[in-house]
Amino acid sequence: MDAPGKVTGTALYAADFALPGMLYGKVLRSSEPHARLVRIDAGRAARLPGVRAVITAADVPDVRYGGSVKDERVFARDRIRFAGQPLAAVAATSPDAAAAALTAIEVVCEPLRPVFDVAAALAPGAPLVHDAWASYTALPILHRDGNVCNRARIVVGDVERGFVEADRVFENRFTTSSVHQGYTEPRAAVAQWDSSGQVTVWSNTQLPFEIQTTLAEILQLPPSKVRVIVPGIGGGFGGKLRIGVEHFAALLAMKTGRPVKVMTTSEEELTAAYARQPATVAVKTGVTNDGRLTAREARLWFDTGAFAGSGPGVASVATLMLAGPYRIPNLLLEGFAVYTNKTNFGSFRAPSGPQANFAVESQMDIIADALGLDPLELRLKNIVREGEEGPTGQVLTAVGLEECLRRAADAIGWRDRRPEVGRGKGIACGWWTTTGGSSGVYVKVNPDGTVALNTGAAEIGTAALTGAAQVLAEDLGVQMADINVVSADTLSTPFDFGAQGSRTAFAVGNACRAAVADLKRQILALASKHLGVEESALALREGSVVGAGKRATLGELARISQASGGGLIAHGTFVAPPTPYDTKRVEGHVYPAFHSPSFHAHATDLSVDAETGEITIHRYVVAQDVGFAMNPAAIEGQIEGGVAQGLGQALSEEIVYENGRVLNANLTDYKMPTARDVPRVESILVQHPSLVGPFGAKGVGEPPNIEPPAAIANAVASATGVRITSLPITAEKVALALRERAK
Amino acid sequence: MTRIALSLTINGQTHDVLAEPHRTLLDVLRTDLGLIGTKENCLEAECGVCTVLLEGAAVNACILLAAQCQGRAIVTIEGLAAPGQLHPLQRAFIDHGAVQCGYCIPGMILAAKAYLDTNPEPDGDGVREALAGNLCRCTGYQRIIDAVLSAARALRTSPPSQAAR
Ligand code: FES
Ligand code: FES
């Protein structure tokens, strides 16, 4: 919808946004991973040319904020908890002057014993990342203990009995690395205060309403005094959900009385953003000789970094992913979010999905190999089917998984799994949620018959709002080109839970349907009066109301209404109906069921160079149950992009830490796939309509990111006989494993 | 710091600006001239969102000093086609669904333009190679490659009347 503006360079993004007289803000970040902050002296920095303000913890309200655990402050006050933690911020007349001022701020601190990974954080006698954790305000549902800021659990049946019933029990351990969302537009915000004490923040957040709430908390203002507007977003993928630079911009603007812009550097992105949590996963699965899964005990530990952030929620989602899309009668699944002295890792497209899926889908192949079964057959034997229960007792409907598996396997020529030496095929499958939450829209008919869609959701590049507009156009019988979208302004647009969790097209689309139902009533009533025709004899068709040989265009009716009734406008809302589940099966869980779940299978055919370990992908096929393919090209675009990102995580991407510091905090050393690296991705859209999605659609944005690591690992194992259990699966790692085996 | 007077030829027009000698072309384009179609990200010549054409070659404006560009023809995305018109590459990117968030797209299109100007009959591998310096995190590149190949065909059959200056 907005493509012409984007290809001509006229589309405005938050990073482009500027105001007259604007200052530039920069953030001083700690170089120490864990320390007592003794003193911070900004006196010299404040006197440098061009510097208009320097702020530290002493200048801001002492507020602890956070979505699930209130454990974070704007600036470190007495304790530094990760290398990259904000200590101070500067506003100056140019970015260079601000950067120069940062180096003039004196920081004195005393290093403390750190915990750099989950194992260290959970060891007996480990230092606590938050000594006062127990006193923090937190969601009461969480199970917290010392460095664990949540333990989410699912218990079904009796795993011990399930293991006794099994003929074989498999135990494997997997690890995954932290990867960055890699959006091409840095996080950016411009803030400006007005004389009424209201602050307006233009930001590229995916969740303007959440940023409004968080800013209000930090600034100690009523939410109505905080207005968040999203001018445009250059990619988010979950990395722009939580507060990023908005608070620095707002605080510096307050102090200087000038508009202030803050934008992150690549170094800040890779050291102090919301990259994906690294995970350690232990999976123990019992199976009968003929391949029936009898029990699974699995634990996944997320390194959540210095603050809880998304961790407790993502640890919850992980437990559903550990079950896999399988029917396993006995389950004990636990997800942990563990504090360490690293950045607060966060949500990245299908948070927890790739980590858990890599573990359980790798193990499925390990099991199949050990039992002499075909991996596809083993999956088909155990997958959930229509009407069966998910791990927490939700009843599954519109389950297109068998079709996904069979079609992906067929497409890739599964029968011939090892066509030549060093070449093999792999498959992996999974399920995912369509996030719920509520959406509201206003739909207004303009005097020329075009239609304005006013939504609180931001278009983040996934064409999700285009999808919602398509639903609107379809329902109202107008052309897509006649729909204008106004979006994401917390002051004027209706509430929306935000562009997250594959929900936008789904929820905003449904809200549009509700608005259209109301709007149609208004239109028909007005047309009936105007045309002198019974309402029952009228119908809305192609932008006009017609009946009894008469006709009135939407534009005409809008003009009549404007002259006499305030215009044609409707408010539509949607909230995903709760998915019933068995509350007795879960503990510490903030995401106990998957709404309108989607199902998917990825299959790949690749070769591995025996010498270098280099992987060449010949084919990559995705079969995804999207419910209903409203806009196939846009969905395929999501699949292609999601797979490319997933392949990055599978093959090359890793934020490398050494003693709590990032070694590759630049885009030269943090390797994202380029046009040279990504293979052609073939998409198969499977359609088992969901009962609640608009026309049966399910969320499509996140799933393609889930299976690539497992599909690649399984294909590499099939090609070489070597099983790689840690991500990324780099050429060096594969070559080393091949050499080890040859010994 | 002392500023120097610069005269830059951008999209066929001369712009006189006063700027410190260390300022980059990217900074001057975006901050002084309001040409925000040239995007900003890594500032270290790794992502390609700042790609512009300098004497017809694709370059990263983030590592180029504005002062170095005096007297040389610069084309930004704003100058690829007349206002209200689309260059065949822009058309093809839209038609092929190659645009998602769009932030990489101006740089991508200009990198493709520079490549097609010297390689009017490219193949997929050539295009992939030519665009390898431009990161896109949304699309997985496939539709971008397809768009460039189809624009190449379109350009061969009917070159744009209003070609880039
Ligand atoms: S901003 Fe110039 S290459 Fe990234
Ligand atoms: S379209 Fe978003 S980075 Fe390319």
Side-chain angles (χ1 to χ4, degrees), chain A residues 211-485:
Chain A
I211 297 303
Q212 179 190 34
T213 308
T214 308
L215 275 177
E217 199 175 349
I218 289 172
L219 300 168
Q220 310 259 274
L221 289 174
S224 62
K225 289 285 181 199
V226 178
R227 179 181 188 183
V228 179
I229 298 174
V230 182
I233 310 185
F237 315 109
K240 293 172 179 169
L241 299 176
R242 313 278 170 245
I243 198 151
V245 290
E246 295 86 353
H247 46 336
F248 303 124
L251 289 161
L252 288 169
M254 179 158 70
K255 177 100 176 190
T256 57
R258 300 262 296 268
V260 175
K261 179 173 190 171
V262 183
M263 186 150 134
T264 53
T265 61
S266 294
E267 184 182 353
E268 285 178 297
E269 285 295 337
L270 288 160
T271 55
Y274 298 108
R276 197 188 283 288
Q277 298 94 352
T280 304
V281 196
V283 197
K284 178 177 174 187
T285 303
V287 56
T288 60
N289 280 330
D290 63 349
R292 197 168 44 80
L293 303 181
T294 61
R296 173 172 292 164
E297 181 173 348
R299 292 189 174 78
L300 184 154
W301 294 270
F302 280 129
D303 182 339
T304 193
F307 306 102
S310 305
V314 177
S316 302
V317 177
T319 58
L320 292 169
M321 293 305 285
L322 288 172
Y326 299 114
R327 192 183 339 108
I328 311 177
N330 303 290
L331 294 170
L332 171 54
L333 308 172
E334 291 182 327
F336 299 84
V338 182
Y339 286 129
T340 65
N341 292 115
K342 294 212 199 86
T343 186
N344 175 209
F345 298 103
S347 299
F348 179 173
R349 199 174 194 169
S352 87
Q355 298 104 311
N357 189 262
F358 172 60
V360 300
E361 286 296 282
S362 291
Q363 194 191 46
M364 286 301 277
D365 270 37
I366 292 172
I367 294 172
D369 282 352
L371 297 180
L373 295 172
D374 179 304
L376 174 64
E377 292 308 318
L378 176 67
R379 286 179 172 82
L380 289 172
K381 196 168 242 168
N382 289 286
I383 54 173
V384 288
R385 308 209 172 239
E386 192 69 25
E388 290 183 346
E389 281 185 356
T392 55
Q394 72 176 104
V395 177
L396 301 169
T397 57
V399 184
L401 185 53
E402 176 169 359
E403 189 180 337
C404 290
L405 274 166
R406 288 198 188 279
R407 290 181 67 182
D410 278 353
I412 207 104
W414 185 254
R415 233 159 284 273
D416 190 12
R417 268 181 65 213
R418 294 185 181 88
E420 58 196 39
V421 178
R423 180 166 180 175
K425 296 171 188 175
I427 199 163
C429 66
W431 68 320
W432 190 249
T433 185
T434 306
T435 293
S438 81
S439 284
V441 297
Y442 302 143
V443 177
K444 188 176 81 168
V445 183
N446 296 321
D448 57 1
T450 62
V451 177
L453 164 58
N454 186 325
T455 162
E459 175 57 73
I460 59 171
T462 58
L465 280 186
T466 309
Q470 229 171 322
V471 172
L472 175 60
E474 183 84 25
D475 265 15
L476 200 55
V478 300
Q479 297 295 312
M480 263 298 274
D482 289 337
I483 297 191
N484 303 306
V485 179

Side-chain angles (χ1 to χ4, degrees), chain B residues 110-132:
Chain B
L110 290 174
K113 161 95 168 73
Y115 179 64
L116 294 187
D117 282 348
T118 45
N119 299 273
E121 292 183 39
D123 60 10
D125 286 345
V127 175
R128 284 181 181 275
E129 200 60 43
L131 299 183

Side-chain angles (χ1 to χ4, degrees), chain A residues 504-531:
Chain A
T504 313
F506 177 91
V508 181
N510 269 331
C512 285
R513 304 203 77 175
V516 170
D518 176 6
L519 203 53
K520 269 187 177 162
R521 274 191 295 275
Q522 298 180 35
I523 291 169
L524 292 180
L526 183 64
S528 163
K529 229 166 85 189
H530 173 60
L531 298 174

Side-chain angles (χ1 to χ4, degrees), chain A residues 2-4 6-13 15-17 24 95-96 179-186 233-235 237 261 263-266 348-349 460-462 632-634 636-638 640-642 644-645 648 653 665-668 670-681, chain B residues 1 22-23 27 30-31 35-47 49 77-81 84-87 89-91 93-94 96-97 99-106 108-109 125 127-146 149:
Chain A
D2 42 6
K6 291 174 177 174
V7 298
T8 52
T10 52
L12 183 74
Y13 296 82
D16 304 326
F17 195 83
Y24 298 84
D96 288 343
V179 289
H180 191 275
Q181 292 83 356
Y183 33 75
T184 49
E185 183 202 27
I233 310 185
F237 315 109
K261 179 173 190 171
M263 186 150 134
T264 53
T265 61
S266 294
F348 179 173
R349 199 174 194 169
I460 59 171
T462 58
E636 285 166 17
Q638 286 299 299
E640 291 157 15
Q645 258 176 343
E653 289 179 41
N666 60 72
L667 296 189
T668 315
Y670 182 80
K671 289 262 174 254
M672 287 187 274
T674 70
R676 234 188 335 235
D677 307 314
V678 183
R680 181 173 283 277
V681 175
Chain B
M1 200 174 303
H22 70 275
R23 304 251 325 265
D27 185 15
R30 287 173 62 85
T31 311
L35 292 169
I36 55 161
T38 308
K39 299 303 180 193
E40 169 178 351
N41 179 23
C42 70
L43 303 181
E44 55 194 11
E46 286 293 339
C47 75
V49 303
I77 192 72
E78 289 90 349
L80 194 57
Q85 312 232 312
L86 294 175
H87 182 277
L89 270 164
Q90 293 170 317
R91 177 84 271 151
F93 269 64
I94 297 175
H96 282 78
V99 182
Q100 289 190 28
C101 84
Y103 199 76
C104 71
I105 297 295
M108 204 59 97
I109 286 177
D125 286 345
V127 175
R128 284 181 181 275
E129 200 60 43
L131 299 183
N134 292 71
L135 288 177
C136 173
R137 198 58 159 172
C138 297
T139 65
Y141 303 105
Q142 192 54 55
R143 277 156 211 274
I144 290 176
I145 314 291
D146 292 346
L149 290 172

